[in-house]
Amino acid sequence: MDVSQLEFGIDSFGDRPRNDRGEIVSHAQAIRAAVTEAVLADEVGIDVVALGEHHRPEYAISSPETVLAGIATATKRIRLASGVTVLSSDDPVRVFQRFATVDALSGGRAEVILGRGSFTESFPLFGYDLSDYDVLFEEKIDLFHRLLDETPVTWQGTTRAALHDADVYPKTESGRLDTWVGVGGSPQSVLRTAHYGFGLMLAIIGGAPARFAPFIELYRRAHEQLGTTPQPVGMHSPGLVADTDEEAKELFYPGYREIRDRIGALRGWPPLRREEFDAEVAHGSLYVGSAETVATRIAQAIRVLDVGRFDMIYSAAGTVSAAARLRSVELYGTQVIPRVRELLAEQPTSVAG
């Protein structure tokens, strides 16, 4: 692995932070906070900011492209991605147009990360039937793949009107949008991603990162069998960086537990215990601690999985204060990323590419 080619990003869903008085801020304030955090990320050398789409009260970003457009005009170098765009309940033509617009505003810095999403609220909201969950994604990713060629498209499916020699605008200056697929661990999704030649972004939000190694091996083997050009592999996981390990855990735990238990109540999970949280921080997929601790854990994950990009979901504990989130972004860019590179240079990954 060429350490100089490693990329590091931050992810946010527009979680609503707390203000100086300990109050959870409005959706509008949370969106502005995401822009402020992205501008800081640009200044401290972080490579990518990815904004996820959600349609729930605890998250403020339902239209990542709109927020990314605002970030585009306030930044110079950071790449602008979704994380993820819920393609199943959107229209591929409009997704392409919106990201091509962000690409124009940013001078070619837009990326699309497509996915099914971790929640299903968007389906009834936009008039889609959950019984069509699979066919919606399969047809729409096929159409989006064709749109990326930026030539007239003829396409027919069951989930939207057919296209007949349709040209879509605006075109990008480079001729193609960089596109990834966010995958949570389904072999079928991994194979589909390889089939279309998209980058693979693994959502690793719990458990030891090593358990995802077979999916990366499957993805690379599929590229070999298909004869397609290997594409980047990345991972994203929750985290928070503070001045000390203890401070980071105490900042992160209350909000993380609140969100985890709220979601768990819907999915039949038992309440989170502090012992489980501490174990996840020590050995799992929560990158919470001081800059040195987080850098060490990230370097270990990169070695094990041989990924080319690591994105930290820095706002996953939505009740962390806005000030603590900014400090986390600052430490991630100025201390964690350089330290990860140092650690990997000292002991490069031994996993086969």
Side-chain angles (χ1 to χ4, degrees):
M1 174 186 292
D2 184 350
V3 175
S4 67
Q5 298 300 309
L6 279 172
E7 297 179 336
F8 297 88
I10 56 170
D11 288 10
S12 176
F13 308 138
D15 310 62
R16 297 163 65 190
R18 293 189 183 274
N19 60 23
D20 294 339
R21 299 184 298 276
E23 303 162 336
I24 296 178
V25 306
S26 68
H27 290 97
Q29 290 172 307
I31 289 171
R32 292 193 290 270
V35 174
T36 299
E37 290 152 3
V39 170
L40 176 61
D42 186 51
E43 293 170 351
V44 298
I46 295 171
D47 298 305
V48 187
V49 57
L51 302 182
E53 172 191 346
H54 286 291
H55 305 271
R56 298 172 57 84
E58 59 265 42
Y59 304 118
I61 297 176
S62 60
S63 176
E65 306 94 323
T66 307
V67 184
L68 291 171
I71 294 169
T73 61
T75 55
K76 297 178 180 178
R77 50 166 298 281
I78 196 166
R79 296 207 307 283
L80 312 169
S82 55
V84 299
T85 293
V86 184
L87 187 64
S88 306
S89 57
D90 210 329
D91 183 84
V93 173
R94 293 298 284 148
V95 171
F96 175 86
Q97 290 176 322
R98 295 195 299 263
F99 273 95
T101 301
V102 173
D103 202 58
L105 289 169
S106 64
R109 291 184 280 136
E111 292 184 0
V112 191
I113 304 181
L114 305 172
R116 298 170 182 259
S118 54
F119 299 100
T120 59
E121 288 86 354
S122 63
F123 288 82
L125 186 64
F126 299 119
Y128 292 101
D129 192 330
L130 273 172
S131 65
D132 296 328
Y133 185 83
D134 290 325
V135 70
L136 281 165
F137 192 73
E138 289 168 4
E139 289 194 358
K140 291 185 178 189
I141 198 171
D142 180 67
L143 174 53
F144 191 83
H145 177 255
R146 299 191 193 194
L147 292 167
L148 289 173
D149 290 335
E150 302 192 19
T151 57
V153 172
T154 296
W155 179 90
Q156 186 171 352
T158 63
T159 56
R160 77 174 312 280
L163 297 175
H164 300 283
D165 203 29
D167 222 350
V168 177
Y169 305 97
K171 309 292 186 184
T172 65
E173 290 180 317
S174 68
R176 196 168 188 86
L177 282 170
D178 286 342
T179 304
W180 303 61
V181 176
V183 174
S186 160
Q188 182 182 1
S189 296
V190 171
L191 292 173
R192 183 191 296 112
T193 303
H195 169 74
Y196 286 114
F198 294 149
L200 177 70
M201 180 60 71
L202 289 168
I204 305 178
I205 59 174
R211 68 192 181 93
F212 281 80
F215 296 107
I216 296 175
E217 181 183 354
L218 175 65
Y219 176 72
R220 290 173 174 155
R221 195 167 65 244
H223 270 297
E224 291 177 4
Q225 293 176 356
L226 292 166
T228 51
T229 303
Q231 297 299 310
V233 177
M235 61 179 288
H236 84 161
S237 297
L240 185 78
V241 191
D243 293 312
T244 67
D245 289 349
E246 214 41 56
E247 179 189 7
K249 287 192 286 187
E250 293 312 308
L251 285 170
F252 192 87
Y253 178 67
Y256 178 76
R257 180 187 59 191
E258 179 182 325
I259 292 173
R260 163 66 167 70
D261 287 351
R262 188 184 306 141
I263 296 170
L266 299 174
R267 300 182 180 179
W269 302 341
L272 179 70
R273 294 180 294 111
R274 179 61 190 249
E275 294 79 9
E276 294 176 79
F277 169 77
D278 288 337
E280 192 68 42
V281 169
H283 308 292
S285 295
L286 291 182
Y287 297 83
V288 177
S290 66
E292 181 66 22
T293 295
V294 172
T296 300
R297 298 280 329 288
I298 292 174
Q300 290 170 345
I302 291 173
R303 286 194 196 101
V304 167
L305 297 178
D306 192 21
V307 294
R309 176 163 142 190
F310 180 94
D311 287 359
M312 186 176 74
I313 313 171
Y314 70 98
S315 63
T319 54
V320 172
S321 72
R325 278 170 36 169
L326 281 169
R327 179 62 173 159
S328 181
V329 171
E330 177 189 6
L331 290 170
Y332 181 67
T334 61
Q335 296 187 29
V336 172
I337 293 173
R339 183 59 176 146
V340 173
R341 295 189 191 280
E342 288 177 0
L343 291 167
L344 291 173
E346 293 167 4
Q347 183 184 347
T349 177
S350 59
V351 179

